Amino acid sequence: MPSHAHEPQHPGDDPLQRERAHLVSSRSALRAMRADAEALNIRDVTANWVNAEVLQGEIDARIKALADLSHTPLFFGRLDYLHAPGLAVAEGASGENFYIGRRHVHDADGDPMVIDWRAPVSQPFYRASKKAPMDLRLRRRFGYTGGELTAYEDEHLTDPAEAEQTSRLLQSEIERPRVGPMRDIVATIQPEQDEIVRAGIGGSVCVQGAPGTGKTAVGLHRVAYLLYAHRERLARSGTLVIGPNDSFLHYIEQVLPALGELEVKQATVDTLVGHVEVRGADDAAAATVKGDARMAQVLRRAIRSHITMPEEPCVVVRGSRRWRVPAYELEEIVQELMDREIRYGAAHDALPQRIAHAVLVRMEQAGEAPDDRVQDAVARNPAVKATVKAVWPPVDPAKLVLRLLGDADFLAAQAAGILTPEEQKTILWAKPARSAKSAKWSSADAVLIDEAMDLVARTPSLGHVVLDEAQDLSPMQYRAVGRRCSTGSATVLGDIAQGTTPWATNTWEEALAHLGKPGSTVEELTQGFRVPREVIAYASRLLPAIAPDLAEATSIRESAGDFEIRAVAADDLDASVLAACQDALTKEGSIGLIAAEARIPLLRAALEAAGISWLAPGEETSAASRLTLVPATLAKGLEYDYVVLDEPAAIVDGEPDDRTGLRRLYVCLTRPVSGLTVVHSADLPEQLGQPGRPGRPGRPAAG
């Protein structure tokens, strides 16, 4: 596979110069497309100011999406077809050569100069191989430096004399140092990733991905693909990306805009269910019970406990007439509404109309001819309102949960046969709150309130939801997310081995059932692109203890990466950690210093004393400040070129049990892209072995 990164002897016949010229022309065409959008005059095509505002908003979004990002390659590949593909013709393309990029670019005549990576004609860039060339004669990859096209690399898919081998440009792009937020992977999507990205919108997909397999990137690119393929549908219903915390969302927030998608919302589960202010916290035992799916049954029973079968008739007075609906008939109406399993609030709204209808039947039997206006008036009659209030009173979800957690007798009545007495005692507040506003709600309480709100009124559904780091959600949290895509589809991303909550899911089948998407496809990614080979092999020693059913991840990286374990004396720990950070700062790229929560204040003080600037997770790295101090609890989903891991034993000890602690350590060990230095004074977990000895650096033992 020849690679060309220098000037040939005959500039007039220089392919690199021709490709550079096409890049210049394409950028010029993109600027012209943006200028055309900016020049649009909508004064004569809108009926009113509302339409004008909407249309102008769409135009502004298009102008923004057409921005030419100087350091982002406009195209990264070229496909030379043996025959003109029908799919390309359908898109208005002509000829046999197509440049593949992040967005579509056409010239003044409307002919494409760059094809969107999501278009069908672009698919062979990711899927074609020697065994299945997909009618390609040649696949060309481009290399860029600072936004300038500096190299290309050809793969002749129908040439039997050319052996299939790993692309050097692809490898260098994968291993390029990370500085700043997460970037897109459109130039490096692998065939198994592309299959997930382009899966249809009709079904939900779950991706079990080992560290560094690109599951987060796959999920984000899947959103971009679905918006391309089903834009009108998703524009109406909406899309959402859910991440574990704000630091993670800040890290990934530039990926979709770089692909031209500006309207996808991002949130955490806590944000979704943020109907009350969270000011309290549960211990692990209480949070586990509150997050159990059985709480949905308790809440449903608690909601329905407000329904009281009528014992008195409803007598409606209209003029000189009195219309009587007997108690047994009211009971039949109430029982029918209960049997229909409609939401509590919808039934509450339907009940006065049902009673009014019974009154109208009596009016008709008496020879009157009432219409809908009469029925509405009867439904608003004070007697009907009083009956509804007594039989099916309105319920405030927050007040319901407040009573459930603060009233032992009420909880016992609603949880009987569902929660054990011990479990009830675990979630019961020691000191009941006076009001919903003054209560010190926890995150788990907020999820219960969200469930209660859905029992009262249906939660609006989106067209597609991406749920990342899903392994850490409780069953009740899965239900909260599932409500947001009950009529849409979902992409669920996670790694069972990285589950670090006491309620972390054990199987994806169980999680998908709680999400309301049973039977969804589960795909497993085991080929890593980020974590160095030696590092992932070392971290995988923990898998038998934390996730014995998962396959061990492999890495395609040719570089083994920098990997060192330094065992030091306890008195030298802080100084040795600083020395490891200073070593990492001599190299190119970002550095993450990851430590147990209890160690963060000590390390912060040590960094300040040494004059080393540092960032908090979520803050963007720069040339002047490349080191981030990361609590182990926030490391999930983040990545750094070099990681200095402080005292693994402290990370394990900081969790409620050894299994969760080892899973947390597994997460931290798999954050580096280029190198890892582990510094410890206490013994390493036995699963990792004990390489090195205090005071001297060690290398990991073989095997």
Side-chain angles (χ1 to χ4, degrees), residues 421-683:
E422 291 75 18
E423 288 173 324
Q424 295 174 34
K425 186 177 179 181
T426 298
I427 65 173
L428 194 66
W429 286 343
K431 184 179 180 181
R434 292 183 178 180
S435 68
K437 190 173 182 180
S438 64
K440 290 187 176 181
W441 299 109
S442 68
S443 295
D445 297 335
V447 178
L448 297 180
I449 294 171
D450 189 72
E451 179 84 26
M453 291 181 71
D454 187 70
L455 289 168
V456 173
R458 181 183 297 277
T459 303
S461 174
L462 297 164
H464 192 79
V465 169
V466 173
L467 175 61
D468 206 350
E469 299 296 347
Q471 71 281 342
D472 277 334
L473 268 61
S474 70
M476 291 298 287
Q477 288 176 316
Y478 279 119
R479 290 175 61 87
V481 174
R483 287 191 283 277
R484 271 78 183 176
C485 56
S486 58
T487 60
S489 56
T491 300
V492 181
L493 313 166
D495 180 10
I496 297 294
Q498 296 186 60
T500 51
T501 56
W503 49 83
T505 190
N506 292 314
T507 69
W508 287 120
E509 289 71 22
E510 178 184 329
L512 290 166
H514 292 311
L515 192 70
K517 306 293 182 185
S520 297
T521 302
V522 179
E523 303 283 356
E524 186 170 6
L525 297 176
T526 59
Q527 183 169 261
F529 307 96
R530 174 174 54 78
V531 185
R533 187 177 304 157
E534 283 191 20
V535 173
I536 194 63
Y538 184 65
S540 293
R541 296 182 186 183
L542 297 172
L543 285 179
I546 62 176
D549 295 332
L550 293 185
E552 182 176 331
T554 59
S555 178
I556 69 167
R557 296 185 62 133
E558 295 179 352
S559 170
D562 297 331
F563 184 25
E564 184 177 4
I565 297 178
R566 300 181 184 181
V568 301
D571 292 344
D572 297 331
L573 180 60
D574 291 356
S576 298
V577 169
L578 290 183
C581 291
Q582 288 169 328
D583 289 345
L585 285 167
T586 64
K587 304 165 185 175
E588 183 183 3
S590 58
I591 299 97
L593 170 54
I594 304 177
E597 194 83 41
R599 291 270 301 154
I600 293 295
L602 298 173
L603 293 174
R604 185 185 297 123
L607 289 169
E608 290 175 353
I612 300 175
S613 63
W614 53 273
L615 304 167
E619 294 182 331
E620 190 169 330
T621 56
S622 64
S625 190
R626 296 186 289 125
L627 187 145
T628 303
L629 180 57
V630 187
T633 52
L634 295 181
K636 193 171 297 178
L638 304 179
E639 62 181 24
Y640 302 94
D641 285 289
Y642 295 91
V643 166
V644 176
L645 186 62
D646 170 84
E647 199 63 284
I651 293 174
V652 176
D653 292 343
E655 300 297 330
D657 58 75
D658 285 348
R659 188 186 190 201
T660 305
L662 291 175
R663 284 184 167 186
R664 183 76 69 189
L665 179 58
Y666 179 76
V667 171
C668 297
L669 286 169
T670 53
R671 298 307 94 201
V673 175
S674 299
L676 170 67
T677 301
V678 178
V679 185
H680 71 101
S681 60
D683 288 344

Side-chain angles (χ1 to χ4, degrees), residues 370-432:
D371 56 19
D372 290 344
R373 290 175 296 176
V374 174
Q375 179 167 329
D376 290 339
V378 172
R380 296 192 298 270
N381 185 277
V384 174
K385 288 184 176 180
T387 298
V388 171
K389 184 176 181 181
V391 172
W392 206 297
V395 172
D396 182 291
K399 291 180 179 178
L400 176 77
V401 176
L402 181 75
R403 184 182 176 194
L404 201 62
L405 300 177
D407 185 334
D409 293 337
F410 184 65
L411 176 60
Q414 310 313 318
I418 301 175
L419 302 180
T420 67
E422 291 75 18
E423 288 173 324
Q424 295 174 34
K425 186 177 179 181
T426 298
I427 65 173
L428 194 66
W429 286 343
K431 184 179 180 181

